[in-house]
């Protein structure tokens, strides 16, 4: 469950969250053979070894909102990290006349995008009203800034959570608030009538993956050349039906690089307490990472992940590809994101990031 109860912040945490901006700125396992159906011709490539241990990048940093991390993506050119969260309860954005609850924000699909440097400090934020749940985002570098790719035109599901029915592209503009019909937003509808639309970008091969649901039941992934998709031609290089091994678990994110699609699923730990409120035990980890061949739909690997296992309230949230050195894209990293909180009483959400970098 994604709670939004604020906790207490130290002065250093407040400064990090503020990011130096004033309030005025806001105005402006074993290999599996299970497969879904597939139709593709994607050039062969190496894949990340999911048995490789995960290295820590950031542990428990604060983002702009008190809500949990939903997803993230890298601007590898400018060395920026972008994260997506639901707007926290009680925040009043420019142009709004009242504060909204967390439930209302989720239903409407109101998101906050936070930009951080690669030292973990906030250097900007942007708000998206009516876009979606933020399950996955993409970043396309442009000069010293970037275009963001997200879901948009949110439609509430049976749980009253808003998810995108289209895809949006817009330039990051610090301190601004945009809506789906804002002038700077370009919208794409690659599969008319689908819902739960999200995207992820392969920065090594300049491709974009699109996850969506058809007829309220069937999950599909399609892979496109980014430039072709951006031009409005929706001819996929590959289309995969989601393998049934991903049907039961809670889906938490995905990314792509080369011939392989990677997915993340799982939920937060559950805790038991004694009469004094002390933690006496936790449930076992159920976080899993899966790799799937775009050409066949076959699941190559599905492995549990113990990354960040000592975090309190550890919930898997998002995946992305980082290229630490653009001169050496072969040294890419597969990143996993986690949301956590300090304790039972200090429940502002923090974000942690871990990566695998062994290609086979």
């Amino acid at each position: 469950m994604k709670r939004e109860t604020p906790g207490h912040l130290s002065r250093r945490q407040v400064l990090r969250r503020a990011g130096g901006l004033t309030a005025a700125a806001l105005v402006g396992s074993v290999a599996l053979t299970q497969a879904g159906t597939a139709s593709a011709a994607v050039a062969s490539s190496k894949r990340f070894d999911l048995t490789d241990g995960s290295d820590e990048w950031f542990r428990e940093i604060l983002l702009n909102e008190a809500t949990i991390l939903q997803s993230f993506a890298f601007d590898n050119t400018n060395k920026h990290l972008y994260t997506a969260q639901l707007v926290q309860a009680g925040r009043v954005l420019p142009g709004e006349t009242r504060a909204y609850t967390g439930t209302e924000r989720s239903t409407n699909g109101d998101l906050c995008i936070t930009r951080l440097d690669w030292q973990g400090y906030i250097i900007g934020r942007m708000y998206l009203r009516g876009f979606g749940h933020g399950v996955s985002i993409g970043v396309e570098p442009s000069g010293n800034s970037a275009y963001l790719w997200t879901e948009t035109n949110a439609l509430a599901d049976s749980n009253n959570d808003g998810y995108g029915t289209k895809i949006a592209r817009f330039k990051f503009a610090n301190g601004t608030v945009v809506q789906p019909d804002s002038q700077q937003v370009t919208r794409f509808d690659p599969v008319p009538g689908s819902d739960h639309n999200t995207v992820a970008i392969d920065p090594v091969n300049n491709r974009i993956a699109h996850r969506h649901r058809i007829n309220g039941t069937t999950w599909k992934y399609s892979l496109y050349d980014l430039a072709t998709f951006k031009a409005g031609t929706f001819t996929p290089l590959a289309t995969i039906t989601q393998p049934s091994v991903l049907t039961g678990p809670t889906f938490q994110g995905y990314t792509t690089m080369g011939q392989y699609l990677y997915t993340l699923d799982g939920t937060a730990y559950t805790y038991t307490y004694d009469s004094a409120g002390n933690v006496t035990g936790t449930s076992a980890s159920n976080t899993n990472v899966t790799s799937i061949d775009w050409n066949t739909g076959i699941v190559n690997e599905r492995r549990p992940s113990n990354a960040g296992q000592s975090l309190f309230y550890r919930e898997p949230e998002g995946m992305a590809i980082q290229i630490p050195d653009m001169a050496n894209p072969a040294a890419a990293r597969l990143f996993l994101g986690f949301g956590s909180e300090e304790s039972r009483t200090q429940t502002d959400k923090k974000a942690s990031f871990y990566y695998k970098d062994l290609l086979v």
Side-chain angles (χ1 to χ4, degrees), residues 6 16 44 92 115 129 167 174 182 191 218 224 265 299 329 354:
R16 176 172 283 193
S44 62
V92 180
R115 181 170 65 182
R129 296 186 70 246
I167 299 302
N174 184 33
S182 294
V191 184
T218 304
Y224 300 86
D265 62 75
V299 174
Y354 298 81

Side-chain angles (χ1 to χ4, degrees), residues 155-344:
L155 179 67
D157 65 6
S158 58
N159 294 319
N160 284 325
D161 293 318
Y163 290 89
T165 58
K166 292 180 173 60
I167 299 302
R169 178 182 182 265
F170 53 91
K171 199 163 191 177
F172 179 83
N174 184 33
T176 62
V177 180
V178 298
Q179 302 186 125
D181 60 356
S182 294
Q183 185 175 3
Q184 61 267 52
V185 177
T186 301
R187 287 178 287 180
F188 302 86
D189 193 9
V191 184
S194 62
D195 60 19
H196 286 66
N197 283 253
T198 54
V199 291
I201 285 180
D202 174 351
V204 176
N205 299 283
N206 293 313
R207 294 173 183 154
I208 186 168
H210 172 221
R211 183 178 188 255
H212 55 284
R213 190 176 67 172
I214 299 173
N215 299 323
T217 57
T218 304
W219 294 95
K220 296 276 189 177
Y221 302 80
S222 292
L223 183 67
Y224 300 86
D225 172 77
L226 179 59
T228 302
F229 189 98
K230 189 165 55 177
T233 299
F234 306 125
T235 303
L237 303 170
T239 296
I240 292 174
T241 300
Q242 181 167 277
S244 59
V245 70
L246 300 179
T247 300
T250 300
F251 189 86
Q252 297 285 14
Y254 67 105
T255 192
T256 182
M257 192 176 89
Q259 186 183 346
Y260 298 94
L261 170 71
Y262 301 90
T263 68
L264 182 69
D265 62 75
T267 56
Y269 292 130
T270 56
Y271 295 87
T272 55
Y273 301 90
D274 61 22
S275 59
N278 299 311
V279 175
T280 58
T282 64
S283 63
S285 170
N286 66 352
T287 297
N288 291 287
V289 182
T290 304
S291 61
I292 305 164
D293 189 325
W294 277 113
N295 284 316
T296 64
I298 290 176
V299 174
N300 291 94
E301 265 190 293
R302 178 171 170 81
R303 303 284 183 179
S305 173
N306 294 322
Q309 196 167 24
S310 62
L311 293 168
F312 186 84
Y313 186 86
R314 166 189 180 264
E315 183 172 4
E317 297 285 357
M319 303 185 83
I321 301 295
Q322 184 197 48
I323 308 173
D325 179 4
M326 289 299 290
N328 184 21
R333 296 169 172 176
L334 175 66
F335 263 79
L336 319 178
F338 293 89
S340 65
E341 53 195 42
E342 285 188 36
S343 68
R344 192 178 186 185

